[in-house]
Amino acid sequence: MPSDILTVEQLDEKALLERIFPRLGPTTALIGPGDDAAVIAAPDGRTVISIDTLVQDADFRLLWPSGYRTGGYTVGWKCAAQNLSDINAMGAVPTSLVVSLTLPGSTEVAWVEDLASGLAGAVTSLMFDTGRCSVVGGDLGRGSQIVVTAAVTGDLEGRAPVLRSGARPGDVLAFTGALGAAAGGLAVLESSLDYSTVREEPDQLLATLVASQNRPHPPIHLGPRAAAAGATAMLDVSDGLVRDAGRIALASGVGIDLDAEYVRTRAELLAPAAARLGADPLDWVLGGGEDHGLLATFPPGAVLPKGFVRMGIVQDGGGVTVGGVAPQTTGWDHFAG
Amino acid sequence: MPSDILTVEQLDEKALLERIFPRLGPTTALIGPGDDAAVIAAPDGRTVISIDTLVQDADFRLLWPSGYRTGGYTVGWKCAAQNLSDINAMGAVPTSLVVSLTLPGSTEVAWVEDLASGLAGAVTSLMFDTGRCSVVGGDLGRGSQIVVTAAVTGDLEGRAPVLRSGARPGDVLAFTGALGAAAGGLAVLESSLDYSTVREEPDQLLATLVASQNRPHPPIHLGPRAAAAGATAMLDVSDGLVRDAGRIALASGVGIDLDAEYVRTRAELLAPAAARLGADPLDWVLGGGEDHGLLATFPPGAVLPKGFVRMGIVQDGGGVTVGGVAPQTTGWDHFAG
């Protein structure tokens, strides 16, 4: 590595933090970074909390087979987005992130700075700069690979949290957000295509899919709206539509039938890209994760919040079917071989 | 590795979680693990939050030069203890932990089970089983080394948080907890001593120090008591007495003088162990971290909570001295070479 590239092992912790903090933007906490802990407002009297991690070479690669290099901004964005999505899926509004960075000493400081910018960029973009949420604290340490963990809090604004267990037979199943795009992007990144060429026509759709994989746009404002509209169950689709629908089915003790026409239409949107890669777009739609769209059930006759589309029904029984037929795809498991 | 040892790559995520959950004990959350996020009570209307990580080969070794093998219980305990301590240092009562585990596929399942038991064991032991705090959620993923991150929340019970910035000249500096013991334990683990022999007399003190390094006992109940007694500044000593006292000095714009006799007395307790290792016990007392004792300042004339001992004064100026003299030791930095 050229000697003019600044790496984290050349800086002490204080110097590195001084490069990170300005990129996080103004704190929204009552007491922000700099003490043993931060203090955030919890006006509801309850706090929603979750934690999620991105690991180098498991959740992202710095250099993909396609030649694509993952910048720090992308990893920061993705980490924030998937954490905010977990709060969204409870029907709550995100209020803070605390972030722990484990970094090899050889990590470029500029990459870490970009990661901080990506964290802040996702919060600002996905929450429309409401000034309610920011990175309020963190931790830095050394390791052999990059690990980025964020814990996220949220406020329920007086509403009940929307769990996975409240779906009832007869409820409407509805969805909002991207579906299969992130999985398509992953397939592009892992393919033998030369990424430097896929940004141009006729392959521009492939680049769009890569953007979905790298910088997901979960519909953060729609979780609270679904809760207010009476959603009986909700989760974010992070491990694949069939698998995550199955979680609602299991927790609620119901069956879920996905509308075959809806699934087919979503797959058709991805078909040109899938054909280019020799993949089946149905696999992406039914089994792909990481888009972080919202899957929710509503009582029959409920007015769906704008953005949600009816795409199935809740019925007696158990498990997930597509047009009454068991699907072939299950989705993502971190450990299954 | 013998084929009868169960490793995490042989289980899917669900099966591994089913082995972890029972070891975490009953949840204290309003909504516990199993949904996209947990929901905890925040009766104060504010939530204190922090995050802290343990990385294999940086913060602990599975096999130390001394031959000591670190069990999962120890890593779980240590992770919980140092996180609870950050909440304690704000004068708040811990209310929840969320934990992210990054594990190589070859990690023994029994080791992970022990880690879960250690997390729960530390919370129960250090908080005297108050039923206020538990592990309420988490995340599992694969990586090349073990990384354990916990985020912790706390409740201020209506009090103001105790920051690092409130010390005023004339305040009394007081401390409670272990000091230098964890550093001594680290020195034992990293030494060429054969750990299998140091558990016996005359080296039993060495084993005690190892226990301090592995299973620190921060005085979790004393942070809120110090706050109630009017502490003007507080932090937990995680990076060394001089370094952490310097943080209060810097944040408060004051100088701090540590009582030389107090420091000498604390060092004398460690002297036999230090002599065995050819170390200076003053380095452990002034520069050693990870004991997670509480360093706090109180207004002159304040009645110190039981457990706190006066060991210095806050004065005009800046920086940290010991009996008026600048110390040689600074403490721990994660990145400084």
Side-chain angles (χ1 to χ4, degrees):
Chain A
M1 191 171 286
S3 62
D4 60 342
I5 293 187
L6 187 66
T7 60
V8 299
E9 66 202 340
Q10 296 172 259
L11 297 181
D12 64 16
E13 194 170 345
K14 183 164 169 285
L16 188 54
L17 287 174
E18 281 170 358
R19 286 165 174 269
I20 290 174
F21 281 146
R23 291 173 169 82
L24 297 177
T27 187
T28 57
L30 303 173
I31 304 290
D35 233 286
D36 290 81
V39 182
I40 59 168
D44 176 87
R46 297 167 295 177
T47 294
V48 185
I49 185 162
S50 183
I51 191 166
D52 213 352
T53 294
L54 289 174
V55 181
Q56 178 185 344
D57 296 334
D59 299 299
F60 66 91
R61 295 181 199 282
L62 292 179
L63 176 62
W64 294 85
S66 63
Y68 183 90
R69 289 181 186 277
T70 304
Y73 195 95
T74 288
V75 174
W77 178 292
K78 196 168 170 177
C79 178
Q82 68 187 32
N83 272 284
L84 297 175
S85 182
D86 282 326
I87 298 301
N88 194 40
M90 300 294 283
V93 177
T95 50
S96 79
L97 291 162
V98 287
V99 180
S100 179
L101 301 181
T102 300
L103 302 169
S106 60
T107 310
E108 283 185 46
V109 170
W111 196 94
V112 181
E113 292 172 347
D114 286 347
L115 188 148
S117 298
L119 286 165
V123 173
T124 304
S125 298
L126 298 174
M127 295 189 62
F128 306 115
D129 199 12
T130 62
R132 282 208 62 178
C133 184
S134 62
V135 177
V136 303
D139 185 38
L140 279 176
R142 285 275 196 106
S144 64
Q145 60 183 174
I146 298 171
V147 181
V148 185
T149 298
V152 59
T153 61
D155 188 77
L156 284 162
E157 300 181 320
R159 292 181 302 271
V162 184
L163 309 184
R164 298 174 176 185
S165 52
R168 295 292 168 262
D171 281 356
V172 171
L173 184 73
F175 182 80
T176 185
L179 198 54
L186 183 64
V188 175
L189 290 170
E190 289 191 330
S191 75
S192 56
L193 293 177
D194 176 358
Y195 184 78
S196 65
T197 69
V198 304
R199 276 168 291 187
E200 290 150 37
E201 295 288 3
D203 282 342
Q204 208 166 23
L205 174 58
L206 300 187
T208 305
L209 298 183
V210 169
S212 294
Q213 162 66 213
N214 282 341
R215 303 202 189 160
H217 278 68
I220 297 303
H221 55 303
L222 289 182
R225 286 202 202 155
T232 52
M234 184 158 61
L235 49 56
D236 80 318
V237 177
S238 54
D239 294 335
L241 178 60
V242 169
R243 191 182 191 92
D244 285 320
R247 289 175 170 151
I248 290 180
L250 185 66
S252 298
V254 298
I256 287 180
D257 187 50
L258 307 176
D259 185 276
E261 176 65 17
Y262 177 89
V263 168
R264 196 180 58 74
T265 305
R266 297 294 296 228
E268 272 172 9
L269 293 171
L270 301 169
R276 184 82 172 78
L277 292 157
D280 183 344
L282 266 180
D283 286 343
W284 295 351
V285 168
L286 293 176
E290 302 190 285
D291 286 309
H292 304 286
L294 280 179
L295 185 67
T297 58
F298 294 87
V303 177
L304 300 184
K306 191 175 170 184
F308 277 92
V309 174
R310 179 184 176 125
M311 46 79 80
I313 56 165
V314 180
Q315 56 196 16
D316 287 319
V320 178
T321 50
V322 182
V325 179
Q328 300 302 308
T329 285
T330 54
W332 175 251
D333 189 296
H334 285 287
F335 286 97
Chain B
M1 192 172 285
S3 63
D4 60 341
I5 293 186
L6 187 66
T7 59
V8 298
E9 65 202 340
Q10 296 172 259
L11 296 181
D12 65 15
E13 194 171 344
K14 183 164 169 287
L16 188 54
L17 287 174
E18 280 169 359
R19 286 165 174 266
I20 289 173
F21 281 145
R23 291 173 168 82
L24 297 177
T27 187
T28 58
L30 302 173
I31 305 291
D35 234 284
D36 290 81
V39 182
I40 59 167
D44 175 88
R46 297 166 296 176
T47 293
V48 184
I49 185 162
S50 183
I51 190 166
D52 213 353
T53 295
L54 288 174
V55 181
Q56 179 185 345
D57 296 334
D59 298 300
F60 67 91
R61 295 181 200 281
L62 292 179
L63 177 61
W64 294 87
S66 63
Y68 182 91
R69 289 181 186 278
T70 304
Y73 194 95
T74 288
V75 174
W77 178 291
K78 197 168 171 177
C79 179
Q82 67 187 33
N83 271 283
L84 297 176
S85 183
D86 282 327
I87 298 301
N88 194 40
M90 299 295 282
V93 177
T95 49
S96 79
L97 291 162
V98 287
V99 180
S100 179
L101 301 181
T102 301
L103 302 169
S106 60
T107 309
E108 282 185 46
V109 170
W111 196 93
V112 181
E113 292 172 346
D114 287 346
L115 188 149
S117 298
L119 287 165
V123 173
T124 304
S125 298
L126 298 174
M127 293 188 65
F128 306 115
D129 200 11
T130 61
R132 283 209 62 177
C133 183
S134 63
V135 177
V136 303
D139 185 38
L140 280 176
R142 287 272 197 106
S144 64
Q145 61 183 174
I146 299 171
V147 181
V148 185
T149 298
V152 59
T153 61
D155 188 77
L156 285 162
E157 300 182 320
R159 292 180 302 271
V162 184
L163 309 183
R164 299 174 176 185
S165 53
R168 295 292 169 260
D171 281 356
V172 171
L173 185 73
F175 182 79
T176 185
L179 198 53
L186 182 64
V188 175
L189 290 170
E190 289 192 330
S191 75
S192 56
L193 294 176
D194 176 359
Y195 185 78
S196 65
T197 69
V198 305
R199 275 169 292 187
E200 292 150 35
E201 295 287 2
D203 283 342
Q204 209 166 22
L205 174 59
L206 301 187
T208 305
L209 298 183
V210 169
S212 294
Q213 162 65 216
N214 281 342
R215 302 200 190 164
H217 278 69
I220 297 303
H221 54 303
L222 290 182
R225 287 202 202 156
T232 51
M234 186 156 60
L235 48 57
D236 80 319
V237 176
S238 54
D239 293 335
L241 179 60
V242 169
R243 192 182 191 91
D244 284 321
R247 288 174 171 151
I248 290 181
L250 185 66
S252 298
V254 297
I256 286 179
D257 187 50
L258 306 177
D259 186 276
E261 176 65 17
Y262 177 88
V263 167
R264 196 181 58 73
T265 305
R266 298 294 296 229
E268 271 172 10
L269 294 171
L270 301 169
R276 185 83 171 78
L277 291 157
D280 184 344
L282 265 179
D283 286 345
W284 294 351
V285 168
L286 294 176
E290 302 189 285
D291 287 308
H292 303 287
L294 279 179
L295 185 67
T297 59
F298 294 89
V303 177
L304 300 185
K306 192 174 170 182
F308 277 93
V309 174
R310 177 183 176 128
M311 45 79 81
I313 55 165
V314 180
Q315 55 196 16
D316 286 320
V320 178
T321 51
V322 181
V325 180
Q328 300 301 308
T329 283
T330 53
W332 175 252
D333 188 297
H334 283 286
F335 283 98

